[in-house]
């Protein structure tokens, strides 16, 4: 069977859904999303700042739809550069609270909104083959059926895998090989967690803790891939004893039972140089990935998803200025982000001999 579309989006995370909803809501283009996962496993990236609400309102998703399902987040706390835990209350940002997301439900909500806007969502669907011969021909298998999708335009929203960015051998700038080892726990009865994120630096990296909806909590250790290998934290005992070496995270860790799951996530920083006149673009992590210290991932995925929809619309109108300024702005934002990230990491200077902190002491823009 063959189906014809104006735009096919690969990946139904926040970027792909935002691109699809924008196209569905604000254009007459015929749009499909291909999403390989069923959203029935852990999905990383859960803390969002209050600015998310404005972007979601543009997509037709209002605050009450989120606040009944996800946990309000009231503060960020960090022991970074010293042992003192400094708390920054979101109350003083003037925008109210952020959220601790249940990512499965959040991503499902966005794809449901895309469907409501007339977008065809193929989920779960696996890619068999992609050809780019003028238009795009994308062969998929969904619900046991083979399907050929013909599309005039394609948006790569496949996350860090960046299927099309790789296929097209785009120039990319990759910064590091940061990795996150996440442990997910049930919160035992009687333990009350404050609704805030907690960061704490250690000799070889930093810890991150966030409460999750459904009486769960995630504790993550963030370091470089080679350093993590040497630490051997993959069993519950070594994980626990390493975590108990912290001052603040240990206060919660000591009350938790065995983790429900351990997950490794690649969290390196990277930016791609996107084409301007070709009939494809990319958004979200497929285009730019940020260190989670920046808390920019989901917000960036949604805003770049929205902009990539404008780039696609520009392509059909013969207006390539949108693509030009989008591609340029990704590079500019990445440069600003590198400066900001350098500022964060150099605020910690208690371990001058640590490889992890040494690697981050150099200004990336001066290399
Ligand atoms: C450990 C970790 C912690 C993070 N913490 C935060 C945080 O606290 N706050 C924050 O804002 N951001 C955070 N982020 C970043 C944030 O999760 C990402 O930036 C965001 O999810 C990117 O959205 P996306 O839609 O671009 O990609 P994803 O969310 O990765 O979605 C891509 C989708 O594409 C699908 N896909 C991939 N390949 C194919 C294929 N071949 N065919 C079909 N579908 C495909 C995948 O199944 C996936 O659903 C974190 C990331 C990680 C890894």
């Amino acid at each position: 069977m063959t189906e014809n579309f104006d735009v096919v989006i690969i990946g139904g995370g926040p970027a792909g859904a935002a691109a699809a909803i924008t196209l569905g809501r604000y254009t007459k283009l015929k749009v499909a999303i291909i999403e390989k996962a069923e959203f029935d496993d852990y999905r990383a990236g859960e803390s969002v700042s209050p600015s998310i609400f404005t972007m979601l309102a543009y997509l037709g998703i209002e605050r009450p739809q989120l606040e009944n399902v996800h946990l309000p987040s009231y503060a960020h706390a960090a022991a970074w550069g010293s042992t003192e835990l400094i708390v920054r209350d979101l109350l003083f940002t003037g925008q109210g609270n952020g959220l601790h997301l249940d990512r499965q439900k959040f991503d499902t909500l966005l794809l449901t909104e895309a469907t409501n806007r007339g977008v065809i969502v193929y989920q779960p669907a696996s890619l068999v083959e992609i050809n780019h011969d003028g238009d795009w021909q994308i062969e998929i298998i969904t619900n046991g059926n083979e399907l050929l999708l013909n599309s005039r335009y394609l948006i790569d929203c496949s996350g860090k895998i960046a299927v099309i960015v790789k296929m097209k051998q785009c120039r990319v700038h990759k910064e590091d090989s940061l990795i996150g080892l996440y442990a997910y726990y049930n919160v035992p009865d009687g333990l009350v967690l404050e609704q805030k994120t907690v960061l704490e630096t250690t000799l070889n990296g930093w810890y991150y803790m966030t409460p999750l909806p459904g009486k769960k909590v995630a504790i993550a250790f963030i370091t470089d891939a080679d350093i993590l290998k040497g630490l051997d934290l993959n069993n519950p005992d070594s994980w626990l004893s390493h975590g108990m070496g912290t001052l603040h995270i240990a206060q919660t860790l000591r009350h938790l039972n065995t983790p429900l799951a351990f997950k490794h996530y690649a969290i390196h920083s990277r930016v791609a140089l996107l084409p301007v006149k070709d009939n494809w673009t990319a958004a979200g992590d497929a285009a730019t990935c940020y260190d989670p210290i920046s808390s920019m991932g989901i917000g960036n995925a949604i805003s770049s998803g929205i902009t990539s929809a404008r780039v696609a619309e520009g392509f059909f109108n013969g207006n390539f200025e949108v693509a030009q300024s989008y591609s340029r702005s990704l590079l500019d934002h990445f440069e600003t982000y590198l400066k900001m990230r350098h500022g964060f990491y150099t605020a910690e200077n208690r371990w001058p001999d640590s490889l992890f902190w040494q690697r981050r002491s150099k200004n990336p823009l001066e290399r």
Side-chain angles (χ1 to χ4, degrees), residues 176-250:
D176 53 42
S177 59
L178 205 63
I179 192 159
L181 175 57
Y182 271 57
Y184 295 92
Y185 298 88
N186 276 327
V187 176
D189 289 342
L191 178 65
V192 179
L193 291 184
E194 287 184 57
Q195 287 174 215
K196 65 181 183 198
T197 54
V198 179
L199 304 185
E200 181 172 358
T201 49
T202 69
L203 173 66
N204 288 310
W206 49 279
Y207 273 87
Y208 164 75
M209 179 171 76
T210 184
L212 295 171
K215 286 198 77 187
K216 297 209 168 35
V217 58
I219 296 183
F221 180 56
I222 314 291
T223 186
D224 288 326
D226 56 343
I227 297 177
L228 186 65
K229 228 179 205 171
L231 290 174
D232 185 28
L233 297 184
N234 285 320
N235 71 71
D237 291 340
S238 57
W239 166 259
L240 182 65
S241 81
H242 192 266
M244 288 309 290
T246 60
L247 193 61
H248 304 285
I249 300 286

Side-chain angles (χ1 to χ4, degrees), residues 60-248:
I61 295 166
E62 298 300 335
R63 217 171 167 122
Q65 285 173 269
L66 298 154
E67 287 188 331
N68 295 336
V69 181
H70 309 279
L71 277 184
S73 154
Y74 297 118
H76 301 300
W80 192 288
S82 84
T83 52
E84 190 187 352
L85 195 66
I86 311 274
V87 181
R88 187 172 149 262
D89 202 313
L90 290 172
L91 190 70
F92 302 115
T93 62
Q95 291 182 292
N97 60 276
L99 290 175
H100 302 293
L101 296 174
D102 176 326
R103 273 297 296 278
Q104 295 172 4
K105 289 188 178 151
F106 181 71
D107 290 11
T108 302
L109 172 78
L110 293 183
L111 281 191
T112 305
E113 185 59 26
T115 309
N116 294 342
R117 294 286 164 189
V119 172
I120 308 294
V121 178
Y122 296 107
Q123 182 189 30
S126 47
L127 285 177
V128 180
E129 203 177 328
I130 306 182
N131 287 307
H132 186 200
D133 176 15
D135 288 349
W136 291 87
Q137 297 82 41
I138 307 139
E139 206 181 317
I140 61 168
I141 297 185
T142 183
N143 295 322
N145 300 317
E146 275 189 31
L147 209 58
L148 182 66
L149 313 182
N150 277 322
S151 183
R152 297 161 68 202
Y153 196 89
L154 190 143
I155 309 180
D156 183 359
C157 294
S158 57
K160 282 203 158 56
I161 299 170
V163 178
I164 304 301
V165 169
K166 278 191 191 140
M167 173 182 157
K168 288 292 176 184
Q169 299 182 334
C170 278
R171 270 181 60 199
V172 293
H173 173 80
K174 185 172 174 234
E175 265 295 309
D176 53 42
S177 59
L178 205 63
I179 192 159
L181 175 57
Y182 271 57
Y184 295 92
Y185 298 88
N186 276 327
V187 176
D189 289 342
L191 178 65
V192 179
L193 291 184
E194 287 184 57
Q195 287 174 215
K196 65 181 183 198
T197 54
V198 179
L199 304 185
E200 181 172 358
T201 49
T202 69
L203 173 66
N204 288 310
W206 49 279
Y207 273 87
Y208 164 75
M209 179 171 76
T210 184
L212 295 171
K215 286 198 77 187
K216 297 209 168 35
V217 58
I219 296 183
F221 180 56
I222 314 291
T223 186
D224 288 326
D226 56 343
I227 297 177
L228 186 65
K229 228 179 205 171
L231 290 174
D232 185 28
L233 297 184
N234 285 320
N235 71 71
D237 291 340
S238 57
W239 166 259
L240 182 65
S241 81
H242 192 266
M244 288 309 290
T246 60
L247 193 61
H248 304 285

